Amino acid sequence: MTQARSGGPAVVALGGGHGLAATLSALRRVTTRLTGIVTVADNGGSSGRLRTELGILPPGDLRMALAALCGDDDWGRAWAEILQHRFGGDGPLAGHPVGNLLLAALWDMERDQVAGLDLVAELLGARGRVLPMANVPLDIEADVDFGPPQGIELVRGQAEVATTPGRILGVRLDPSDPPACPQAVSALETADWVTIGPGSWFTSVMPTLLVPQLRQALLRTPARRCLVLNLVAQPGETEHLTPEEHLDVLAAHAPDLHLDVVVADTSAARDIDALARGAARLGARLVTAEVRAPGLSGQHDPAALAEVFATTFAPASPAQA
């Protein structure tokens, strides 16, 4: 593994939505050499509308990742707030965040998704880079068990899978072999650490492991890999899964993936021994810490999570090696 330079270790964070935003908010306190690789399968809300109308990548998760990396000065905070501002009312703009429209405009002007994202990152004074996991919008398909008499059925679409009342057995992408973002592949290959999660397990976390070129880069990178577990089960999507069963889901979708560290909130890990055994099956050690945001049961505290990352990423001393 390469040695961290003065800006900290090179870290790549995989995921989407609020989970990735929380991870990036924590990681930006640890390193400036940071890349977020974001899922592009959202088909609901503003992202779904823009994707359908303009044929572009769904911008919502990319926007949230950019906002999470904004600069700490007044300029960065102001632009992050502008980026996240959502129009009200019931007209054509209702429900659209400004950042989604800004990305859509830049992609229309630049005809280059990465250039548009980099331009917004520069505008925000972002501490890191945001990249899509693929260069085309994707759809998620899931095999869902609805129980008798309905049985197992195919559910298509991120929004539909995320809200299904049935038990999700597994997910896949359509197309199954999309063109990965080349810069994302390169970032994985040159990383010191890769983080996976937290987030919607089947619709944000698993998809980042299913793009073949990204997956191969994740398998061959010399980087160490850190998985961050969710704090609570999500209604519909994972309410039937224990924390250790989340690890089983990952192993089923990426059976060749080796992990080094699994991070779990102390209060969310119901059976520490079982969770430690599950982590060990993936080659990882379990790290437990209080990383829950005070008063917010389902959200990570970026400052607490940053402390865990800083300790985890710290080079081992000769005595520890």
Side-chain angles (χ1 to χ4, degrees):
M1 185 175 72
T2 59
Q3 293 296 314
R5 297 195 290 269
S6 58
V11 183
V12 172
L14 302 176
H18 294 283
L20 178 60
T23 298
L24 293 175
S25 295
L27 287 170
R28 61 188 292 254
R29 302 164 187 247
V30 177
T31 182
T32 59
R33 302 169 62 208
L34 177 58
T35 303
I37 299 179
V38 185
T39 182
V40 287
D42 192 1
N43 69 327
S46 168
S47 287
R49 289 160 60 191
L50 292 171
R51 168 180 173 168
T52 300
E53 293 172 16
L54 302 177
I56 61 174
L57 295 178
D61 285 359
L62 294 158
R63 179 201 83 244
M64 290 177 61
L66 284 164
L69 294 177
C70 72
D72 287 324
D73 57 2
D74 290 342
W75 176 271
R77 286 190 292 270
W79 270 105
E81 186 175 349
I82 293 169
L83 212 65
Q84 298 283 53
H85 176 76
R86 194 178 296 268
F87 290 99
D90 54 7
L93 289 179
H96 283 304
V98 171
N100 285 10
L101 299 177
L102 177 60
L103 285 171
L106 289 171
W107 291 338
D108 188 56
M109 294 169 62
E110 297 282 342
R111 302 291 177 182
D112 185 324
Q113 297 153 345
V114 171
L117 289 163
D118 286 345
L119 190 58
V120 176
E122 184 179 356
L123 178 67
L124 293 172
R127 297 190 173 187
R129 195 180 196 192
V130 172
L131 299 169
M133 70 177 187
N135 285 335
V136 296
L138 306 174
D139 281 303
I140 295 174
E141 294 183 343
D143 295 315
V144 180
D145 187 354
F146 291 96
Q150 196 170 348
I152 298 174
E153 293 188 2
L154 173 68
V155 175
R156 181 180 173 87
Q158 184 182 49
E160 291 77 11
V161 172
T163 57
T164 181
R167 181 186 179 96
I168 301 172
L169 303 178
V171 294
R172 54 188 170 271
L173 298 178
D174 181 23
S176 60
D177 190 5
C181 173
Q183 295 91 334
V185 173
S186 178
L188 280 171
E189 291 176 336
T190 56
D192 296 313
W193 278 89
V194 177
T195 67
I196 304 168
S200 300
W201 214 243
F202 285 104
T203 54
S204 288
V205 179
M206 292 306 104
T208 60
L209 307 178
L210 298 179
V211 176
Q213 288 176 297
L214 276 185
R215 181 165 163 176
Q216 289 304 312
L218 182 59
L219 292 176
R220 67 175 176 261
T221 180
R224 302 184 72 186
R225 304 164 187 87
C226 174
L227 177 73
V228 183
L229 286 171
N230 291 342
L231 297 168
V232 295
Q234 292 179 274
E237 187 165 332
T238 58
E239 61 186 343
H240 60 283
L241 295 179
T242 64
E244 52 269 25
E245 286 172 335
H246 279 69
L247 300 181
D248 294 336
V249 167
L250 183 141
H253 286 81
D256 298 328
L257 181 62
H258 166 89
L259 298 177
D260 295 279
V261 178
V262 171
V263 176
D265 180 73
T266 304
S267 59
R270 308 172 207 169
D271 187 335
I272 295 292
D273 291 337
L275 190 54
R277 289 193 296 269
R281 287 195 295 271
L282 295 171
R285 63 184 177 91
L286 176 66
V287 173
T288 58
E290 295 289 344
V291 291
R292 187 186 305 267
L296 299 171
S297 63
Q299 297 184 28
H300 286 79
D301 179 359
L305 193 56
E307 290 186 14
V308 173
F309 285 144
T311 301
T312 300
F313 297 168
S317 67
Q320 295 172 317

